[in-house]
Amino acid sequence: DSIARGEKFKKFLATLDVAVIGPNCMGSVGVRQRLYMYPHTHVAKLDPGPVALVTQSGGTLSYVVKSFTERGLKFSYAISSGNELDLDLADYVNFLVDDEGTRQIILFIEGIRDPAAFMLAAGRALAAGKPLIAIKTGRSQKSRDAAQSHSGAVAGDYAAFLAMCERYGIITVESLEDMLEVTLAFQQGRLPKGPAIAFMTTSGGTVDLLHDYTDAEGAVVPELGPETVEAIRPHLPPDTPIRNPIDTGAPVGASGRSAPVEICKAFARDPGVDIVGWCINMPGTARATGADEPVKELLAATDKPVIAFARMAHQVNPDGLAAQADTNLWYLQGLLPAVRAMNALWFFAERAARSLPALPVAGGNQADCSGAALEAALGRVGLCAPATARAGDAAEAAEAAAKVGFPVALKIVSPQASHKTEVGGVSLGLMDAAAVEAAAASMAERLKAVNPSAVIEGYLAQEMVSGVEILVGARDDPLYGPMIVLGAGGVMVELVRDVAIRLLPVTKGDVRAMLKELRVTDLLQGFRGGAACDVHALVDAVVALGDFYLDHREWLADIEINPLMVGPAGKGVRAVDIRAVPRAG
């Protein structure tokens, strides 16, 4: 069959002193070298430029090259990599990082065959300041380890891929159309020093849409400084509101100078603005207003990115492309793609300024990886469990509950009840000994009904704690290595799927960034008059669990706390339910 033939061919390749692309590919193109090994004629007519494409889909190469060149982009290489029995994505990225004529690398990924090598190559690209812009198929793929834990269920293969991209500054896009606009945004060769965008438009409707899109995409749209407002005022009718985004209407200009350019200059001088977004059609197209604008003067006046964008996609013409190349003002199409592209500039700039953390050597103690020793070890790093007493049977459970103090929570202990709530193995708010004894008997009965061979090892009586339920789990992803999952906890975690994922190790800054991605953060901050929770303790706890897992990853495949109860401000957190999965073998 094809798999057997592939393995036989791979062994044969190992005997050759030559690198091989493919098989199951459509060839490659080295534009500067005029090496055209691709079957479509238009691909053999390219002019050299700074963009390199590597695609595991052979036919996609032709479409990407055609669409991108029609918008003024030029290629150094275009490679169809196929099944990658010899050369793979990591090899191509390493080659392109070393290529002086390549400044951007775009990837169409179906699968990463050597994740460790790919991450090393991505790290080299980040260090070299060469953005990787990637689209990956397989969003709906389930994690291989979904059955082991809730965090495994919500951290599927695509989510793990995104976590890897976040660490290595790889810009991920949802569509080939977005990939085109993001690539254009990087052509200017400027990176912002922050995320804040100022938008100039001539349309109130465009302003409304930008408010919607920037909110949805998490873009930062600052208030304009008072000096900026005063600098803009002479260029607008007196009754024009000056805010960001701005609708200038028909700008009046001052002293015969270009009002749009002067407004963009004022944006660029504002210390609270990092990126200037100018809504304008490309010269030579319908309703274009910028063909004769002193664009070069604008770009010479600032080192901040200045991104031109149109409201909708439209056809371009040679005059417009020539103006784009001459001025170094690159014209994006579509409001939402433009917002995403400007966000991508800051995403890459922020990560390019970081140093990539190394995985520490695991130096923990195997004895601390299960049972009471695990609970005690987590307590020493700030992940304290509620007051707990253990019992062997229902009668002892009632006595244990009295020692803890009513009201209590009661939990069954059984290897067959790893997810206790799913088998009726948790009872909350028990007020006296009789209620505890009855609850224990009911739990045993329910578990036996589900699994007659279940072994009941005993019960835990635990103090009742209140707060917001959070899930935090650390696990070893089979492709990308140790990672941490943070999100809304409790019994609905897999239904709600409000999670953020990062590769380990993480810092407090990383955890705060994760919290910004979560809807449950509104609860933590005091939703609808509720008390604010101890977010500082939560951040410390997430970092501590990640460090603990890294220290003990030789013996643990997965560790999860669900829920981690976050109490009111100043009251800390409690690890209500801890679940550890030992590493096989």
Side-chain angles (χ1 to χ4, degrees):
D1 59 15
S2 60
I3 295 177
R5 289 197 302 273
E7 289 300 319
K8 184 176 180 180
F9 185 45
K10 190 172 183 178
K11 291 178 181 178
F12 171 70
L13 293 177
T15 68
L16 302 178
D17 189 22
V18 62
V20 175
I21 299 175
N24 191 28
C25 68
M26 291 178 63
S28 64
V29 173
V31 182
R32 288 198 311 275
Q33 300 87 350
R34 304 193 67 80
L35 294 174
Y36 299 111
M37 299 176 288
Y38 191 88
H40 294 179
T41 303
H42 72 87
V43 177
K45 299 178 180 179
L46 302 177
D47 293 324
V51 180
L53 165 67
V54 183
T55 169
Q56 292 173 335
S57 166
T60 298
L61 186 152
S62 174
Y63 284 93
V64 168
V65 167
K66 187 173 191 299
S67 296
F68 282 39
T69 53
E70 286 175 352
R71 295 284 298 281
L73 292 166
K74 296 180 179 181
F75 287 83
S76 55
Y77 293 90
I79 301 165
S80 162
S81 64
N83 288 358
E84 299 181 350
L85 288 187
D86 187 14
L87 296 175
D88 64 10
L89 278 180
D91 295 314
Y92 299 120
V93 171
N94 278 320
F95 171 77
L96 295 168
V97 168
D98 293 333
D99 179 60
E100 292 183 359
T102 296
R103 295 204 312 264
Q104 297 157 258
I105 304 167
I106 55 179
L107 305 173
F108 185 100
I109 303 172
E110 294 171 343
I112 298 177
R113 289 164 176 79
D114 189 342
F118 179 78
M119 287 187 283
L120 287 173
R124 293 188 68 233
L126 186 63
K130 296 188 178 186
L132 297 180
I133 304 166
I135 187 168
K136 185 181 183 299
T137 62
R139 249 171 216 257
S140 60
Q141 189 175 352
K142 297 291 187 180
S143 169
R144 297 185 182 106
D145 299 333
Q148 287 198 357
S149 67
H150 289 298
S151 54
V154 295
D157 289 345
Y158 189 79
F161 168 77
L162 292 180
M164 182 272 295
C165 291
E166 194 282 335
R167 172 57 51 85
Y168 289 94
I170 301 171
I171 300 146
T172 58
V173 295
E174 295 184 3
S175 68
L176 294 172
E177 291 81 5
D178 275 346
M179 177 177 279
L180 171 54
E181 306 308 325
V182 170
T183 305
L184 281 164
F186 277 94
Q187 283 294 106
Q188 196 170 81
R190 298 181 177 188
L191 293 178
K193 296 179 176 63
I197 311 170
F199 292 96
M200 196 200 79
T201 85
T202 58
S203 162
T206 299
V207 166
D208 294 340
L209 287 173
L210 284 172
H211 279 304
D212 291 340
Y213 295 150
T214 54
D215 182 69
E217 295 298 316
V220 177
V221 184
E223 296 291 333
L224 300 174
E227 293 183 0
T228 304
V229 172
E230 291 307 310
I232 290 173
R233 196 174 301 282
H235 301 285
L236 299 176
D239 58 348
T240 302
I242 300 177
R243 48 182 172 249
N244 182 25
I246 189 171
D247 167 18
T248 65
V252 298
S255 304
R257 300 188 62 78
S258 163
V261 166
E262 294 304 313
I263 293 169
C264 286
K265 282 183 184 178
F267 282 168
R269 289 193 298 268
D270 193 318
V273 171
D274 303 300
I275 303 170
V276 176
W278 182 4
C279 186
I280 179 176
N281 284 354
M282 177 181 280
T285 59
R287 294 179 57 83
T289 58
D292 299 321
E293 302 289 2
V295 170
K296 291 182 179 179
E297 179 185 323
L298 166 61
L299 292 179
T302 182
D303 61 356
K304 296 177 181 179
V306 180
I307 304 299
F309 63 97
R311 300 177 218 186
M312 296 179 66
H314 56 270
Q315 290 184 333
V316 300
N317 59 42
D319 290 342
L321 293 179
Q324 178 174 259
D326 179 53
T327 61
N328 199 29
L329 183 67
W330 297 80
Y331 291 79
L332 280 57
Q333 296 186 2
L335 300 180
L336 181 56
V339 170
R340 289 173 173 168
M342 285 183 256
N343 273 352
L345 289 174
W346 170 238
F347 171 88
F348 180 77
E350 183 183 30
R351 283 146 188 82
R354 300 176 184 173
S355 58
L356 291 171
L359 281 175
V361 176
N365 187 343
Q366 185 176 9
D368 289 335
C369 292
S370 62
L374 171 63
E375 189 174 295
L378 290 175
R380 290 193 292 271
V381 297
L383 291 157
C384 298
T388 301
R390 299 174 183 270
D393 57 30
E396 290 180 8
E399 295 174 3
K403 293 178 182 178
V404 169
F406 296 104
V408 299
L410 189 69
K411 302 176 183 180
I412 200 166
V413 179
S414 168
Q416 288 75 41
S418 56
H419 298 310
K420 295 178 177 60
T421 55
E422 295 177 7
V423 293
V426 178
S427 290
L428 304 176
L430 302 175
M431 301 302 296
D432 54 40
V436 171
E437 193 164 352
S442 296
M443 286 181 193
E445 185 177 333
R446 286 192 293 267
L447 180 57
K448 289 290 188 179
V450 174
N451 186 347
S453 62
V455 176
I456 299 172
E457 297 177 347
Y459 301 88
L460 295 178
Q462 202 168 66
E463 73 169 307
M464 290 290 296
V465 293
S466 60
V468 174
E469 293 183 328
I470 294 293
L471 172 141
V472 57
R475 60 192 296 266
D476 192 28
D477 183 81
L479 296 178
Y480 307 112
M483 61 179 49
I484 195 154
V485 180
L486 173 65
V491 297
M492 299 193 53
V493 56
E494 291 179 41
L495 179 63
V496 175
R497 288 181 177 265
D498 180 26
V499 296
I501 305 170
R502 294 290 189 275
L503 295 190
L504 288 169
V506 291
T507 65
K508 292 181 181 181
D510 293 326
V511 178
R512 285 191 285 268
M514 295 171 78
L515 287 170
K516 290 180 181 179
E517 300 175 17
L518 301 176
R519 298 188 297 275
V520 74
T521 298
D522 291 339
L523 285 177
L524 294 168
Q525 294 174 342
F527 185 66
R528 291 190 175 180
C533 294
D534 199 337
V535 175
H536 295 298
L538 172 60
V539 170
D540 289 343
V542 176
V543 173
L545 185 69
D547 290 345
F548 179 87
Y549 177 75
L550 289 177
D551 219 20
H552 297 81
R553 66 186 185 274
E554 291 183 0
W555 305 286
L556 291 175
D558 191 322
I559 184 169
E560 176 182 282
I561 303 174
N562 182 32
L564 178 72
M565 199 70 76
V566 186
K571 298 298 184 181
V573 299
R574 290 291 183 272
V576 173
D577 199 348
I578 302 166
R579 182 172 182 275
V581 178
R583 189 175 291 280

